[in-house]
Amino acid sequence: MAIKVGMVSLGCPKNQVDAEILLNLIKQDGFELTTDSGLADVVIINTCGFIESAKQESIENILEFCELKKEGRIKCIVVTGCLAERYKDEIAKEIPEADVVLGLGSNTQICEAIKTALGGEKVIQFGAKANLPLSGERIISNLPFFAYLKIAEGCDNCCTYCAIPSIRGRYRSRPKQEILEEAKSLVQNGVKELILVAQDTTKYGIDLYDELYLPKLLDELCEIDGLIWIRILYCYPDGITDELLDVMSRQSKIAKYIDIPLQHVDAGVLQAMNREGDRKSLADLMNKIRNKVDGIVLRTTFIAGFPGETEEQFEELSQFAKDIKFDRLGCFAYSQEEGTPAALMDGQIDEETKQRRAEFIMEQQMFIMNEYNEKKIGSVIKVVVEGYDRYAKVYFGRSEADAPDIDGKIFFSCSRPLSIGEFLDIQIDNVLDYDLFGKAL
């Protein structure tokens, strides 16, 4: 009887891509995959280790499966991902129930590690970060009509609050041809929306082609027949060039949506974060994007309560968000991460103040979002079907303006049965918080 393997993958879409490559390796080796990890013989927890809340979620998941192992319901626990890479010694020592602890550079050895552990021998293995495979066959773990396409790995920006460079290593782009071949394969298998991800998508190609190559890559991706949307996440503001905006404006397949994590706008705070710009330069950039790409949806994230942030600097951030009126915005309280320069800075701010500031901006954004959504009433929006809510008896889906698992939903009625992944026009007639309501035409 085949050994059943289940996986819980946490964190960002980039981590999800790693998980999907792992799932394929496991299946190809003869293991049986199960979506119910509680009924598996082997459970893999693909962890996130980016900020404190993500670490806690990862640890809670590991401990939950440790309890199932004690009860004899699970034979083997495997810990992979960013938390494993970042806290290799601590996990092996503090969680002895973990049979396998694999660093990112040892992902390709997962099948051998599982077999060794099932034989009664503990495996703790950490290969070089550069050994993490950037490509490979995948088992798509989300709805089948969209897929994340990782175009690069690692990061060289070295923002002072961020542990990613120490976890994932230096920035390294995937060769263009490799990306295009994967994209074509995904589309041939039913994918209609590709979502480009990297720690910094706008830096794509600088290491391989000595230029910011994302615009050229986008042009070639747009030539793939059957592809409807291409969405770009994680754009560093310094890499948003006129060439990139021109491609986004010209190519109808590129979603008029751009995700730019600005983090802050005060020059002093940005300098302390090891990021460039100030309020004026960033406002100018936001205005330029809107002027060059008609109907563009601007998404950003901010960090509130960075060490040394004064009330005046926070108010500048708040006013900036109010002035720009971002279409999508998330604000997070600063997380003091050991091993980062910011963790050792003077002026650490208490948790209550950090949370208060983050919540203030999110409450402010709620009013902006309500205003944004109210303007959509009466309009017709193309929506991709994601599912059916049998309690409310309505379908739901996303528009070009919404990224999966990040933004809002559109709920709608339809007189005929619909399939997941189907695209259709919805007339909007109501709003509630971040979501829109309407009916299919």
Side-chain angles (χ1 to χ4, degrees), residues 65-121:
F65 287 109
C66 287
E67 286 302 312
L68 294 182
K69 185 185 174 188
K70 286 177 187 174
E71 295 169 11
R73 293 163 61 185
I74 287 173
K75 296 175 183 174
C76 178
I77 293 174
V78 180
V79 182
T80 62
C82 288
L83 191 79
E85 180 69 35
R86 188 175 180 188
Y87 298 105
K88 53 190 82 168
D89 299 327
E90 291 91 332
I91 288 177
K93 181 180 176 184
E94 302 294 334
I95 309 177
E97 296 91 345
D99 303 281
V100 177
V101 182
L102 278 191
L104 296 168
S106 295
N107 273 10
T108 53
Q109 276 78 56
I110 192 162
C111 297
E112 184 183 331
I114 290 171
K115 291 171 189 172
T116 301
L118 288 171
E121 189 179 336

Side-chain angles (χ1 to χ4, degrees), residues 318-364:
S318 170
Q319 188 61 47
F320 180 85
K322 191 183 288 186
D323 291 344
I324 297 296
K325 293 186 184 297
F326 289 94
D327 307 286
R328 308 280 185 267
L329 185 149
C331 187
F332 303 92
Y334 166 72
S335 178
Q336 187 177 4
E337 295 299 315
E338 60 265 35
T340 63
L344 302 176
M345 287 180 180
D346 293 333
Q348 299 290 332
I349 295 170
D350 65 271
E351 202 62 40
E352 185 181 342
T353 301
K354 290 190 290 187
Q355 293 294 340
R356 172 180 58 78
R357 291 178 181 178
E359 287 167 10
F360 181 87
I361 286 185
M362 289 309 295
E363 287 169 7
Q364 176 179 282

Side-chain angles (χ1 to χ4, degrees), residues 132-166:
L132 174 69
L134 302 190
S135 62
E137 292 293 318
R138 294 158 55 190
I139 294 177
I140 301 301
S141 57
N142 47 245
L143 292 172
F145 65 85
F146 77 90
Y148 295 103
L149 184 60
K150 189 192 286 193
I151 63 173
E153 181 55 87
C155 191
D156 293 341
N157 291 330
C158 297
C159 301
T160 57
Y161 53 81
C162 183
I164 291 297
S166 65

